[in-house]
């Protein structure tokens, strides 16, 4: 039974940092891509980063490049998203998801991801 559990969200001031975690179980974590997505009220779900656990490749959406870092701890079957220099526009519900395969040209499209965790709220506000 595939399970993904995202955690680590909260309220942070602009310029601050948060680390999100995505604990995975029920599938071969080492063979999957773990993606991070976010959705603000009234907006479409946006892919922001992903990591291929098989080869370590990482991808970032333009809004988060240089500020966010994705990595995995295979021993813990957990992926992480370090978020730095947070902005109010980063406020959203953040989700992690797993994909067994995807197109390298479009790694952040939600359609590739067939298992999703529940979201964790990130609010950036002073």
């Amino acid at each position: 039974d595939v399970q993904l559990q995202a955690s680590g969200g909260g309220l942070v001031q602009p310029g601050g940092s948060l680390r999100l975690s995505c604990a995975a179980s029920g599938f071969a974590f080492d063979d999957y891509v773990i993606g991070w997505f976010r959705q603000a009220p009234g907006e479409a779900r946006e892919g922001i980063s992903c990591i291929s656990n098989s080869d370590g490749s990482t991808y970032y959406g333009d809004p988060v490049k240089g500020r966010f870092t994705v990595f995995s701890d295979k021993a813990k079957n957990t992926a992480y998203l370090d978020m730095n220099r947070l902005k109010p526009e980063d406020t959203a519900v953040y989700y992690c998801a797993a994909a067994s395969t995807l197109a390298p040209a479009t790694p952040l499209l939600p359609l590739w991801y067939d298992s999703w965790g529940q979201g964790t709220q990130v609010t950036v506000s002073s």
Side-chain angles (χ1 to χ4, degrees):
D1 192 25
V2 175
Q3 290 194 353
L4 296 161
Q5 178 99 15
S7 61
L11 173 64
V12 62
Q13 291 187 341
S17 300
L18 278 176
R19 172 174 286 182
L20 304 184
S21 300
C22 177
S25 62
F27 63 98
F29 185 77
D30 291 9
D31 296 335
Y32 273 65
V33 175
I34 302 298
W36 287 96
F37 299 80
R38 66 187 182 187
Q39 188 166 19
E43 301 200 7
R45 189 164 294 188
E46 174 189 26
I48 56 173
S49 184
C50 68
I51 180 168
S52 169
N53 286 329
S54 61
D55 65 10
S57 301
T58 58
Y59 303 87
Y60 297 93
D62 287 342
V64 306
K65 279 181 183 175
R67 299 190 297 123
F68 291 12
T69 303
V70 63
F71 61 100
S72 285
D73 184 336
K74 294 180 182 180
K76 295 182 178 180
N77 275 14
T78 301
Y80 300 91
L81 184 69
D82 274 348
M83 306 187 296
N84 298 304
R85 304 202 307 276
L86 283 161
K87 305 174 182 180
E89 52 263 45
D90 293 318
T91 295
V93 178
Y94 283 69
Y95 301 87
C96 62
S100 58
T101 185
L102 50 75
T106 55
L108 298 178
L109 281 181
L111 67 90
W112 299 123
Y113 295 80
D114 44 27
S115 299
W116 291 79
Q118 92 296 347
T120 186
Q121 176 71 46
V122 172
T123 302
V124 184
S125 174
S126 55

